[in-house]
C-alpha cells in the first residue's frame, strides 16, 4: 500500500488550519503523515509545498490547501488509485457542493469550481494543488513547484501539471475525491483572482508553452460563454438593452446545468446572482488576455511570437475557473 504524506501550506497562519488538519489526521492510516508547513525559505504556497515535500517520507505527496476539509474517504480513494494503477503519476479531486462560507458570492464561486471538476473526470493535462496528489518520485524528478516564478498563490499547480504531462506522465481527475472549501469570497477577491492571480499569469504560461496545453474549461461551451459575456457588456455600454438581454439568455442556455446546481444549493436568488457573477468571471478572464500577452512579450523578447496562434489567446480567456 502507498504511504501518504499530506502537506498543508500554512505560512500565512490561516484561520481555517485547525479544521483542515483535524480532518486529515482523522483520515490518515498508520504509516501516513500530516505535514503542516508554517515556515519556508521564500514566500508563497509553492515554496511551502516544496518544503513539505522535502520532509516527506511517503510514496505519494497529497497537497491540501489550508482552507479545505477533506472528506473522510478522500485519502483512501487517493491511496487506492495509486495502488491499482502503477503508471498513474498524479491525481486530483474536487470541492464538494456544500461550501461552508455564507453569502451568494462565496456560494457561486465554490460551486463553479465544483461544477467544472465534476463535469471533467478522467485523464487531465493540468494539476490542482487544492486537493491533489503526486508520486514523490515524479515530483522530485520534475523539481517540484516553481517557487521562484510564483512567490504568491497563482498558477504554480497548473505549471507543474504541464511539466508532468510534457515528460510523458499521467494525470487523472477523480471527482469522487472531495473536500469542503471554507474560503469566503467577495466580488473584489474573485475578480482579483480571476484577472491578476490566475488569468494574466496563465496567459503568459500558455504563450511560453506555445499553446500546447489544454485545461479543464477550454471547451467550446466555455469559449462561447466568454463571447456572450463580452458581447453583453459591450451592448450595455452602448446602451443597447435588447442585444444585452440576448447575450444573457445565451449565457443561461449554455450553462443551464451550472445554474441548475446554483438553484438547488442557493435558491432562486443564487441563480440570478450567479448569472451576473459568471459574466464578471468571464470578463475578468477576457481582460487578462491582452495584459498577459503584453507581459509575455515585454519580458521575453527572445521568444518568437509568430509561432503563437491567436486561438491560444482566446482559449486563455475562459480558463480561470481552475482556482482555489
Amino acid at each position: 500500500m502507498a504511504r501518504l504524506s499530506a502537506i498543508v501550506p500554512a505560512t500565512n497562519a490561516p484561520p481555517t488550519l485547525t479544521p483542515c488538519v483535524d480532518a486529515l489526521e482523522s483520515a490518515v492510516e498508520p504509516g501516513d503523515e500530516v505535514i503542516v508547513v508554517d515556515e519556508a525559505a521564500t514566500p508563497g504556497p509553492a515554496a511551502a509545498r516544496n518544503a513539505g515535500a522535502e520532509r516527506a517520507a511517503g510514496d505519494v505527496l497529497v497537497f491540501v490547501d489550508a482552507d479545505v476539509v477533506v472528506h473522510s474517504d478522500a485519502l483512501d480513494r487517493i491511496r487506492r488509485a495509486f495502488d491499482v494503477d502503477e503508471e498513474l503519476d498524479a491525481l486530483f479531486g474536487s470541492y464538494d457542493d456544500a461550501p461552508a462560507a455564507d453569502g451568494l458570492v462565496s456560494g457561486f464561486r465554490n460551486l463553479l469550481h465544483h461544477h467544472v471538476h465534476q463535469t471533467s473526470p478522467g485523464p487531465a493535462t493540468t494539476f490542482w494543488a487544492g486537493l491533489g496528489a503526486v508520486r514523490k518520485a515524479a515530483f522530485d524528478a520534475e523539481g517540484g513547484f516553481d517557487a521562484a516564478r510564483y512567490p504568491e498563490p497563482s498558477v504554480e499547480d497548473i505549471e507543474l501539471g504541464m511539466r508532468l504531462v510534457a515528460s510523458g506522465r499521467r494525470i487523472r481527475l477523480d471527482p469522487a475525491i472531495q473536500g469542503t472549501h471554507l474560503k469566503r469570497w467577495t466580488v473584489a477577491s474573485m475578480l482579483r483572482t480571476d484577472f491578476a492571480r490566475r488569468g494574466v499569469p496563465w496567459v503568459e504560461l500558455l504563450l511560453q508553452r506555445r499553446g500546447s496545453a489544454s485545461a479543464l474549461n477550454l471547451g467550446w461551451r466555455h469559449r462561447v460563454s466568454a463571447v456572450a459575456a463580452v458581447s453583453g457588456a459591450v451592448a450595455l455600454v452602448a446602451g443597447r438593452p435588447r442585444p444585452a438581454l440576448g447575450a444573457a439568455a445565451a449565457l443561461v442556455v449554455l450553462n443551464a446545468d451550472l445554474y441548475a446546481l446554483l438553484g438547488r444549493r442557493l435558491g432562486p436568488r443564487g441563480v440570478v446572482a450567479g448569472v451576473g457573477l459568471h459574466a464578471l468571471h468571464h470578463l475578468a478572464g477576457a481582460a487578462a488576455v491582452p495584459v498577459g500577452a503584453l507581459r509575455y512579450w515585454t519580458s521575453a523578447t527572445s521568444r518568437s511570437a509568430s509561432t503563437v496562434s491567436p486561438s491560444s489567446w482566446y482559449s486563455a480567456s475562459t480558463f480561470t475557473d481552475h482556482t482555489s
Side-chain angles (χ1 to χ4, degrees), residues 44 78 96 146:
I78 290 172
D96 63 21
D146 191 341

Side-chain angles (χ1 to χ4, degrees), residues 45-314:
R49 295 186 191 111
N50 287 345
E54 291 178 359
R55 293 160 47 187
D59 310 300
V60 175
L61 309 175
V62 182
F63 298 106
V64 181
D65 281 348
D67 58 5
V68 173
V69 175
V70 299
H71 286 194
S72 59
D73 64 346
L75 297 189
D76 283 340
R77 288 180 179 276
I78 290 172
R79 190 192 322 275
R80 287 199 300 270
F82 284 101
D83 284 343
V84 169
D85 189 350
E86 295 183 355
E87 296 183 353
L88 181 66
D89 295 289
L91 178 72
F92 62 97
S94 167
Y95 294 145
D96 63 21
D97 64 350
D102 296 329
L104 293 176
V105 179
S106 296
F108 162 77
R109 182 60 190 212
N110 292 326
L111 288 171
L112 172 63
H113 191 286
H114 165 83
H115 174 73
V116 171
H117 283 217
Q118 289 294 308
T119 55
S120 308
T125 57
T126 186
F127 182 66
W128 177 52
L131 177 50
V134 187
R135 290 193 191 272
K136 190 174 191 303
F139 183 85
D140 291 343
E142 295 300 329
F145 294 98
D146 191 341
R149 181 172 182 175
Y150 301 109
E152 296 181 350
S154 186
V155 295
E156 68 277 359
D157 47 0
I158 300 169
E159 193 272 339
L160 173 62
M162 292 172 72
R163 280 189 279 127
L164 288 166
V165 171
S167 297
R169 302 184 187 276
R170 290 178 52 228
I171 305 175
R172 193 170 80 237
L173 192 170
D174 182 353
I177 299 170
Q178 296 188 18
T180 302
H181 200 200
L182 305 181
K183 183 171 181 173
R184 185 176 301 278
W185 291 89
T186 64
V187 172
S189 65
M190 185 186 84
L191 293 178
R192 183 169 57 250
T193 295
D194 285 345
F195 176 77
R197 289 193 170 181
R198 307 294 282 193
V200 170
W202 195 80
V203 172
E204 292 183 87
L205 184 60
L206 180 66
L207 294 175
Q208 177 190 344
R209 298 280 178 168
R210 300 294 189 263
S212 60
S214 59
L216 291 177
N217 51 344
L218 292 185
W220 69 269
R221 185 177 302 183
H222 303 281
R223 301 184 187 202
V224 178
S225 295
V227 172
V230 173
S231 300
V234 171
L236 280 177
V237 171
R240 301 175 62 194
R242 187 168 296 178
L245 287 174
L251 199 63
V252 170
V253 171
L254 288 164
N255 300 280
D257 49 354
L258 168 62
Y259 301 141
L261 171 64
L262 296 180
R264 292 193 300 272
R265 304 303 302 174
L266 304 178
R269 290 176 63 243
V271 177
V272 175
V275 174
L277 291 169
H278 201 199
L280 287 176
H281 163 75
H282 281 299
L283 289 172
V289 175
V291 177
L294 180 62
R295 281 180 48 171
Y296 168 78
W297 279 309
T298 55
S299 64
T301 56
S302 62
R303 296 179 180 134
S304 173
S306 62
T307 60
V308 182
S309 67
S311 62
S312 298
W313 304 6
Y314 175 66

Side-chain angles (χ1 to χ4, degrees), residues 3-7 24 28-35 52 55-58 61 75:
R3 295 177 58 200
L4 307 183
S5 294
I7 299 170
L24 286 170
V28 294
E29 296 288 343
D32 296 339
E33 59 184 349
V34 177
I35 301 173
R55 293 160 47 187
L61 309 175
L75 297 189

